[in-house]
Every structure is written in structure tokens, then in C-alpha cells.
Amino acid sequence: FMWAEEPVVFENVALDPEEGLLVTYVAPMRLHGVLVGAVKVRLSAQELIDVTHDYTGLGESGETLLAQRTEAGDALILNPARHEIAGAAPHVITRDRTGDPTLAAVQGTEALYHEDAHDYRDAEVWAATRYLAEFGWGVVVKVDAHEELAPMRELRATLVRLGLSLSAFAVVVGTLFGFAISRPIRELADVARRIGEGEHELRAPVRGSDEVAVLARTLNAMADELVRAGETPPEVTRSE
């Protein structure tokens, strides 16, 4: 028998209820150069299934799907899906579900999807697709858009909380600073009012050398001039 030089042809992939995913190859068989039949080999693809069950880095919702295009143009999912659908098994995605990246994958499309993509659960997903032309398979790696956007939503909420906290802090600091600035000015105003009402012996307290202290000295000088312009002034006292 001679078949070593004959081409080995991929025939199909099928799901067997007992053996799982099987890949079939066919090669012609010759006897003394005469074609007498064919050799068909069926191989288990359980290792591929094991790979698709590894969800490392795919969070709580992500998964990898292997799919094959059917004669009707649908997408046959070859590996068990991660998520269950009540009352239905997501083995076939019909061609009318145009927003499903699995259909695009089995049609030979290789792309990234960040919007308007929905999987077999009708959940919005972010996905990447590849096409394995040798086998006619589509590969889809996807994760729920809600899960992918969650860190950005959390960051936005954190920034909002931080902004509110900084605003409240600024209001408190501004209020305290305003009180610190306005208190000596209110004291000067009170001293000026009392001097105007006849307490000529009263003087404003002078603290430091800032603008408020300059105003206090000026007010005291004006009070001294007022006393010298009048009768003999009484004993001068300073308010604390």
C-alpha cells in the first residue's frame, strides 16, 4: 500500500455525544499505483477543548469559542460554552444574528469589536476574532463590555468623590481663612466706632507688620491727633 506521497485532506470536525470533538482527515490509498480506497483518520480534539476552558485573564465573563460554518451559513460552536442559557444550548448561532462576532469569525473576518457586538446571550461584548483557513474554523475571544468598563466607571466615580472632597475642603479652608483675615478688620472697625462715640482714650491693638497692623497704627495716630486737638486728654489705655 502506498499513501505517504498522497495529500492528506481535512474533511470535517464533528461533535460526538460520547467522544466529544473529533477532527477527521482523509488520504487516498493505492495498491501498486492503483487507487483502491481511502484512509480516514479521526482524531480527538480534547486538547483544544481544554484550552478553551482556560479562562485566565478573561475575568468573570470572558471565554474562547471555536466555531465552524455550517452549510446553512450558521455558526456551529464546537466547544462547550462558559455560560448557560435557560432552556437552550448555544451550540448553533443562526445567520440572522448579524451582531454576533462568532458569525463574522466563521465567515473569515478577523477584527476587533468594541461596540454593537452581542454574543449568544444577547450580552454586549468586546471581542477579537481570527479565522483558521486550514480548518475552516473561527476563533472568538470575548468578554462582557460591562465587565471591561467597570474599572473606568469606578475610576470616574472615584474622581467625582475626590472632586467633591476637594471642593468641601476648599470651602472649609476658605471660610477659616476668611475668618482669620476679617477678625482683625472687625476689631479695627469696632475701635473706630467707639472712638467716634467719644472713647478718645481707646487705641487699636497693633500686631505684626502686615497691612492690618499699618491700618491699626494709622487709626491710633488719627486718635492721637484728635485728642491733641481737643482739651487735655485723659489717660490713654489700649484695648487688648
Side-chain angles (χ1 to χ4, degrees):
F1 291 97
M2 298 293 294
W3 61 75
E5 297 180 358
E6 299 291 343
V8 177
V9 180
F10 169 76
E11 184 177 72
N12 63 25
V13 60
L15 284 172
D16 186 279
E18 297 181 356
E19 299 183 50
L21 185 65
L22 298 175
V23 180
T24 303
Y25 292 90
V26 179
M29 183 175 61
R30 298 180 183 274
L31 178 61
H32 303 299
V34 179
L35 182 64
V36 295
V39 176
K40 180 177 288 189
V41 180
R42 303 185 75 186
L43 304 174
S44 173
Q46 185 58 43
E47 290 185 0
L48 290 176
I49 300 300
D50 294 339
V51 169
T52 62
H53 281 179
D54 184 359
Y55 304 128
T56 304
L58 296 178
E60 298 297 325
S61 63
E63 62 181 325
T64 301
L65 297 178
L66 291 175
Q68 184 181 36
R69 186 177 181 180
T70 67
E71 293 182 359
D74 301 330
L76 172 65
I77 297 179
L78 302 176
N79 61 296
R82 183 177 187 178
H83 307 284
E84 297 182 357
I85 300 179
H91 296 316
V92 177
I93 299 175
T94 58
R95 61 182 181 275
D96 58 335
R97 294 176 56 86
T98 56
D100 195 312
T102 308
L103 281 173
V106 299
Q107 292 169 0
T109 301
E110 298 187 352
L112 297 175
Y113 298 84
H114 293 103
E115 57 183 14
D116 299 328
H118 296 78
D119 67 358
Y120 56 84
R121 302 165 297 153
D122 284 328
E124 185 177 359
V125 296
W126 288 7
T129 62
R130 292 293 303 271
Y131 182 65
L132 305 180
E134 180 180 356
F135 304 106
W137 293 355
V139 181
V140 179
V141 179
K142 63 183 183 64
V143 65
D144 286 4
H146 177 76
E147 183 175 358
E148 286 296 294
L149 292 172
M152 287 185 282
R153 294 193 181 99
E154 179 62 26
L155 176 61
R156 181 172 60 185
T158 300
L159 291 177
V160 170
R161 291 194 295 268
L162 179 61
L164 292 176
S165 299
L166 290 176
S167 297
F169 179 76
V171 169
V172 172
V173 172
T175 301
L176 295 177
F177 185 74
F179 282 142
I181 293 297
S182 62
R183 179 178 178 181
I185 296 178
R186 290 198 306 271
E187 290 179 350
L188 286 179
D190 182 64
V191 170
R193 177 185 59 79
R194 293 171 61 184
I195 291 175
E197 291 176 351
E199 297 184 45
H200 297 165
E201 77 285 358
L202 190 62
R203 296 294 182 269
V206 179
R207 305 186 185 94
S209 58
D210 58 7
E211 290 80 358
V212 176
V214 173
L215 289 175
R217 292 190 186 94
T218 302
L219 178 62
N220 291 340
M222 294 176 61
D224 292 340
E225 289 294 332
L226 181 63
V227 170
R228 284 195 293 269
E231 297 179 354
T232 303
E235 183 182 356
V236 174
T237 62
R238 295 183 180 271
S239 64
E240 298 297 331

